[in-house]
């Protein structure tokens, strides 16, 4: 047999096996103490942990491993007594190595007794857990810093929820934003912060469900503070899971963004107002151009009719001419309405108490309403002084009352109110300068307007009335009058709830007077003495009828179709008495440029300017025009005669 020559195994005693096991342990200091605490055995782990060899330490008292503080406090004796009394002593604490270094250890002391219960000594196991304690301390400090950080955040509400949505902690920011102290909300459900409508819709449960299934929930909405006020919040809820995937709860972050939302809404309102103002400005420019061209046509028509009326004696022909003149008059009124929207109508502003204007105009306003309408005035107790053209203000008011009446075929309340208001830079008005304004409100309980109609309500020719029932120029004329006066128009309307139109007009102590423009004068007898007139007009039809008018008044007429031709005439003809020129002309020279050149070249020549645009609109582009006489297109024969009389009177003086 192969194993016959091997020596037999020598049996090892139980005590020897245990000693070998203990000596082989390196991570634990395992040693024995006698009943008085003196060291009687020492393993390799003890040598590694404590730094002493067996021959250096056996026979020494184990208290030498304790810090001087604990030695003085009697901790070694207390440890042995605790082991005797309780059967075990287990603690953590600082111990001292041979080299003087301190280590943090976990200590266990067990009493050792024989079968009869006689105390033989103590078994002591010590483990160096300095690194573990350092990591735990670092984690504790990190957690403490994190708690301080969370508590130091005041702009965000940071708090935890358990899986059912119960609040488990609460930071300073949450107290500031929500208004609750920690002791008032801990243990309550987070749904208490939601408005009633959101709770009824199940939004809190939905938020936790989304956070659980998707890991995160984020949205914005109204929340409720302790005092019952609402604020607009940005909310984030994150699900917190253990390493094994178990849901531990939720981290919830809430920020009050009410001011940001209000700023965004204000910016959007400003953008919308600016876009509307730009749109109306563009339409106004187009409308003004159309009205100007139409005025040229009307100038030809009305003056041709006037000239024919002078020469005809047939009653039938005269009646036909009268009809044509009335139609031309309506066309002239239409152009005035268009120019009103384009803010190019002549204004005659003055300081007026709008309360008195409205009260004086009340009978006409009442007659404009039918018997089913309740008409009411709510005028401010103090004078509502504003700089307006009284005639145009009354016309605008009548327009709005008629609109309100038409919106209430079955009757209802129609009221007019006034009040003085202040507008600053933070207000939502784009077109208003900061200052004091008189607000005139016209309210009706009529059908109201849908949003798409409200957006276009002040555009010229836009109307929802049946064909033949309205021109679509009423509101646009009001808009033009108010904005040209330095104010603004705001309309609030909702279908089925009526409409309120607000007119903001500059208060008398906050606006400057606008220049007055000339109005048509009654026809007078022709000037007794004729002279020579240079007529400058690029529209051939207008030029032709102008020549006929001046001929009919006994003047010699020279014509030019643009400024350069007129200058050539002026240089070669010295006996011209009056320059009559259109303002808007081609080839780079306007009538104003020609007039000023004429004043330098021939100071004795009197100048009359003609235009479909009023003086204030022309002055914006050309500067002050007070030095020249002015006539508005379409001018009439009698009006032009009056201007010529004024010009010739000045030349005599």
């Amino acid at each position: 047999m192969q194993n016959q020559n091997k020596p037999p195994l020598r049996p090892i005693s139980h005590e020897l096996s245990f000693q070998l096991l203990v000596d082989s342990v390196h991570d634990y200091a395992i040693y024995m103490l006698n009943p008085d605490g003196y060291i009687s055995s020492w393993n390799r782990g003890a040598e590694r942990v404590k730094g002493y060899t067996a021959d250096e330490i056996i026979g020494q008292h184990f208290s030498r491993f304790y810090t001087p503080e604990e030695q003085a406090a009697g901790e070694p004796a207390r440890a042995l007594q605790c082991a005797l009394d309780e059967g075990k002593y287990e603690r953590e604490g600082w111990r001292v190595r041979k080299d003087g270094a301190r280590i943090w250890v976990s200590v266990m002391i067990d009493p050792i007794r024989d079968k009869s219960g006689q105390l033989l000594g103590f078994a002591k196991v010590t483990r160096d857990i300095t690194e573990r304690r350092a990591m735990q301390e670092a984690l504790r400090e990190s957690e403490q810093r994190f708690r301080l950080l969370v508590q130091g955040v005041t702009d965000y509400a940071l708090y935890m929820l358990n899986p059912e949505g119960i609040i488990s902690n609460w930071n300073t920011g949450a107290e500031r934003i929500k208004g609750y102290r920690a002791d008032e909300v801990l243990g309550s459900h987070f749904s208490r912060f939601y408005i009633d409508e959101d709770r009824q819709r199940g939004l809190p449960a939905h938020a936790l469900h989304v956070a659980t299934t998707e890991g995160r929930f984020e949205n914005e909405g109204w929340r409720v503070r302790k005092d019952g006020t609402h604020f607009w919040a940005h909310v984030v809820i994150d699900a917190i899971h253990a390493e094994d995937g178990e849901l531990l709860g939720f981290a919830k972050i809430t920020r009050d963004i009410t001011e940001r939302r209000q700023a965004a809404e204000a910016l959007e309102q400003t953008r919308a107002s600016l876009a509307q103002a730009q749109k109306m400005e563009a339409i106004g420019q187009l409308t003004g151009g159309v009205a100007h061209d139409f005025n040229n046509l009307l100038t030809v028509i009305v003056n041709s009719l006037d000239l024919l009326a002078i020469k005809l004696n047939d009653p039938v022909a005269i009646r036909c001419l009268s009809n044509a003149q009335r139609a031309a008059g309506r066309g002239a009124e239409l152009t005035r309405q268009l120019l009103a929207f384009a803010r190019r109508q002549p204004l005659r502003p003055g300081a007026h108490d709008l309360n008195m204007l409205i009260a004086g105009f009340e009978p006409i306003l009442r007659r404009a309403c039918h018997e089913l309408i309740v008409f009411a005035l709510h005028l401010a107790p103090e004078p509502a002084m504003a700089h307006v053209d009284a005639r145009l203000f009354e016309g605008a008011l009548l327009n709005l009352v008629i609109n309100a009446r038409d919106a209430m075929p079955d009757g209802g309340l129609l009221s007019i109110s006034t009040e003085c208001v202040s507008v600053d830079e933070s207000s939502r008005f784009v077109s208003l300068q900061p200052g004091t304004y008189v607000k005139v409100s016209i309210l009706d309980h009529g059908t109201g307007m849908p949003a798409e109609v409200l957006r276009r309500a002040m555009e010229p020719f836009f109307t929802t009335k049946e064909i033949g029932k309205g021109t679509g120029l009423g509101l646009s004329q009001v808009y033009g009058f108010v904005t040209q006066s330095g104010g603004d128009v705001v309309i609030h309307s909702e279908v089925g709830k009526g409409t309120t139109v607000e007119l903001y007009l500059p208060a008398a102590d906050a606006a400057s007077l606008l220049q007055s423009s000339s109005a048509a004068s009654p026809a007078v007898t022709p000037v007794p003495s004729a002279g020579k007139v240079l007529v400058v007009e690029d529209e051939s039809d207008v030029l032709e009828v102008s020549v006929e008018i001046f001929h009919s008044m006994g003047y010699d007429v020279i014509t030019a179709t643009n400024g350069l031709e007129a200058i050539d005439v002026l240089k070669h003809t010295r006996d011209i008495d009056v320059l009559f020129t259109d303002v808007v002309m081609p080839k780079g020279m306007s009538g104003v440029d020609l007039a000023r050149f004429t004043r330098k070249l021939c100071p004795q020549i009197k100048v009359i300017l003609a235009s479909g645009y009023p003086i204030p609109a022309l002055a914006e582009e050309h500067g002050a025009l007070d030095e020249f006489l002015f006539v508005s297109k379409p001018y009439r024969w009698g009006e032009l005669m009056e201007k010529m009389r004024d010009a010739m009177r000045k030349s005599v003086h």
Side-chain angles (χ1 to χ4, degrees):
M1 299 293 292
Q2 293 182 351
N3 295 330
Q4 288 180 350
N5 297 325
K6 281 189 176 183
L9 294 174
R10 185 171 59 183
I12 302 176
S13 67
H14 177 72
E15 293 79 4
L16 180 59
S17 297
F18 181 75
Q19 184 63 44
L20 291 173
L21 173 63
V22 170
D23 285 341
S24 66
V25 175
H26 290 77
D27 292 334
Y28 291 83
I30 303 174
Y31 53 98
M32 298 290 293
L33 306 177
N34 70 11
D36 298 320
Y38 288 91
I39 302 168
S40 58
S41 69
W42 196 250
N43 78 331
R44 293 181 182 177
E47 182 176 338
R48 188 187 68 82
V49 172
K50 305 285 190 178
Y52 294 93
T53 60
D55 57 353
E56 291 177 315
I57 202 65
I58 290 177
Q60 301 294 320
H61 199 273
F62 84 108
S63 61
R64 70 184 302 160
F65 306 133
Y66 284 74
T67 63
E69 298 85 358
E70 290 194 330
Q71 289 180 19
E75 183 60 27
R78 189 161 40 249
L80 297 184
Q81 188 61 48
C82 180
L84 289 174
D85 295 342
E86 300 179 9
K88 176 183 286 190
Y89 171 85
E90 186 173 3
R91 294 287 190 278
E92 290 184 3
W94 290 110
R95 297 295 183 267
V96 182
R97 288 170 47 88
K98 176 184 176 181
D99 58 9
R102 293 192 178 193
I103 56 174
W104 187 263
V105 297
S106 171
V107 175
M108 291 181 60
I109 303 176
D110 291 284
I112 306 299
R113 299 178 186 275
D114 61 14
K115 292 180 180 181
S116 64
Q118 180 69 30
L119 179 66
L120 302 178
F122 300 90
K124 192 167 186 298
V125 180
T126 302
R127 187 181 184 190
D128 183 357
I129 57 171
T130 306
E131 291 184 2
R132 188 181 75 182
R133 183 179 185 276
M135 288 188 294
Q136 290 175 340
E137 185 65 21
L139 179 61
R140 187 190 65 78
E141 291 178 357
S142 176
E143 290 175 346
Q144 178 66 17
R145 286 195 298 270
F146 181 75
R147 281 194 295 272
L148 292 173
L149 173 63
V150 170
Q151 287 299 321
V153 174
T154 59
D155 290 338
Y156 292 81
L158 308 176
Y159 53 100
M160 297 290 294
L161 309 176
N162 72 7
E164 287 73 40
I166 304 300
I167 302 167
S168 58
N169 61 31
W170 195 250
N171 83 324
T172 305
E175 180 175 339
R176 186 188 69 83
I177 293 174
K178 309 278 192 177
Y180 294 92
R181 300 189 309 274
D183 59 352
E184 294 177 307
V185 294
L186 293 180
S188 62
H189 199 271
F190 83 109
S191 60
R192 68 187 300 172
F193 308 130
Y194 285 71
I195 60 177
D196 292 338
E197 298 91 319
D198 287 346
R199 283 201 301 270
Q200 292 169 5
R201 291 191 299 118
L203 185 57
H206 172 72
L208 296 187
H209 174 72
V210 172
T212 302
T213 55
E214 300 181 12
R216 180 185 179 88
F217 172 82
E218 182 174 3
N219 83 334
E220 294 181 3
W222 290 111
R223 296 295 184 270
V224 185
R225 296 188 182 91
K226 178 183 177 181
D227 60 8
T229 58
H230 292 184
F231 67 98
W232 190 258
H234 176 262
V235 175
V236 177
I237 302 177
D238 288 290
I240 307 299
H241 294 275
E243 293 182 358
D244 60 0
E246 178 188 1
L247 179 65
L248 300 178
F250 303 91
K252 192 168 188 297
I253 303 174
T254 302
R255 188 180 186 191
D256 181 356
I257 58 171
T258 307
E259 291 185 0
R260 190 179 76 182
R261 183 174 188 263
Q262 291 172 343
E265 288 178 346
L267 178 60
E268 184 58 33
Q269 287 181 349
T270 301
R271 286 175 176 168
S273 298
L274 179 59
Q276 179 68 9
Q278 290 173 336
K279 171 184 173 182
M280 299 301 282
E281 180 67 25
I283 295 175
Q285 291 177 358
L286 175 61
T287 304
V290 172
H292 172 267
D293 293 341
F294 194 36
N295 266 333
N296 283 334
L297 300 177
L298 285 171
T299 300
V300 176
I301 294 170
V302 298
N303 285 287
S304 296
L305 294 174
D306 288 346
L307 291 172
L308 283 174
I310 294 172
K311 297 180 180 182
L312 288 177
N313 294 318
D314 182 8
V316 175
I318 291 175
R319 282 198 302 273
C320 292
L321 281 173
S322 296
N323 292 336
Q325 286 173 325
R326 283 195 295 272
R330 288 195 295 271
E333 178 61 27
L334 176 62
T335 61
R336 280 193 290 273
Q337 290 178 320
L338 291 173
L339 287 170
F341 169 75
R343 290 168 288 171
R344 290 171 177 174
Q345 63 181 336
L347 296 180
R348 296 179 178 85
H352 296 280
D353 183 354
L354 299 190
N355 290 341
M356 295 183 63
L357 288 181
I358 295 171
F361 201 51
E362 180 183 0
I364 296 176
L365 298 177
R366 285 186 180 276
R367 283 198 296 272
C369 303
H370 54 73
E371 63 276 4
L372 297 178
I373 290 178
V374 178
F375 185 88
L377 294 182
H378 302 286
L379 305 181
E382 68 279 359
M385 300 299 296
H387 274 302
V388 295
D389 184 314
R391 179 181 60 85
L392 293 178
F393 172 74
E394 291 173 345
L397 206 57
L398 182 60
N399 253 323
L400 295 174
V401 168
I402 291 172
N403 280 350
R405 176 202 67 191
D406 293 344
M408 296 187 291
D410 299 325
L413 174 66
L414 192 162
S415 71
I416 300 175
S417 62
T418 60
E419 66 173 313
C420 291
V421 297
S422 295
V423 173
D424 56 30
E425 294 180 353
S426 64
S427 300
R428 54 191 172 87
F429 296 98
V430 174
S431 58
L432 291 185
Q433 295 295 321
T436 305
Y437 293 81
V438 178
K439 182 174 76 171
V440 181
S441 301
I442 298 87
L443 176 148
D444 69 68
H445 287 174
T447 54
M449 292 182 279
E452 60 273 14
V453 172
L454 183 60
R455 282 194 297 270
R456 301 186 60 193
M458 289 184 286
E459 294 181 12
F461 303 115
F462 176 79
T463 180
T464 58
K465 298 178 181 179
E466 298 177 10
I467 295 176
K469 296 293 183 65
T471 63
L473 286 172
L475 275 177
S476 62
Q477 189 174 0
V478 172
Y479 171 82
F481 156 67
V482 174
T483 52
Q484 188 177 352
S485 300
D488 198 5
V489 181
V490 178
I491 304 178
H492 307 280
S493 188
E494 190 173 345
V495 175
K497 296 185 178 180
T499 300
T500 301
V501 180
E502 298 172 347
L503 311 182
Y504 290 81
L505 293 162
D509 57 353
S512 59
L513 286 170
L514 300 174
Q515 288 182 326
S516 298
S517 59
S518 301
S521 301
V524 295
T525 55
V527 291
S529 60
K532 186 172 289 186
V533 180
L534 172 57
V535 179
V536 187
E537 172 63 62
D538 61 302
E539 291 285 343
S540 59
D541 292 340
V542 178
L543 178 62
E544 184 177 345
V545 76
S546 299
V547 170
E548 289 298 326
I549 292 173
F550 284 114
H551 278 161
S552 70
M553 291 189 289
Y555 289 94
D556 296 327
V557 180
I558 304 174
T559 63
T561 59
N562 58 63
L564 296 179
E565 288 184 12
I567 290 174
D568 186 62
V569 171
L570 290 169
K571 289 180 177 179
H572 296 88
T573 307
R574 294 293 179 176
D575 59 345
I576 294 173
D577 297 295
V578 177
L579 169 67
F580 180 76
T581 178
D582 188 19
V583 172
V584 179
M585 291 192 300
K587 297 195 176 180
M589 175 175 282
S590 69
V592 176
D593 296 331
L594 174 60
R596 287 173 176 157
F597 177 84
T598 302
R599 278 290 166 85
K600 294 180 180 179
L601 181 66
C602 306
Q604 78 281 2
I605 295 179
K606 303 306 174 184
V607 177
I608 302 176
L609 299 177
S611 179
Y613 299 121
I615 283 285
L618 296 173
E620 291 180 4
E621 181 177 354
H622 300 287
L625 302 176
D626 297 340
E627 56 185 314
F628 307 118
L629 294 172
F630 180 80
V631 62
S632 295
K633 289 183 176 181
Y635 44 79
R636 306 295 292 266
W637 182 85
E639 182 183 0
L640 194 54
M641 184 182 296
E642 177 69 16
K643 293 296 178 184
M644 286 298 297
R645 189 187 70 170
D646 291 343
M648 297 306 292
R649 185 188 299 118
K650 290 182 179 180
S651 65
V652 171
H653 294 305

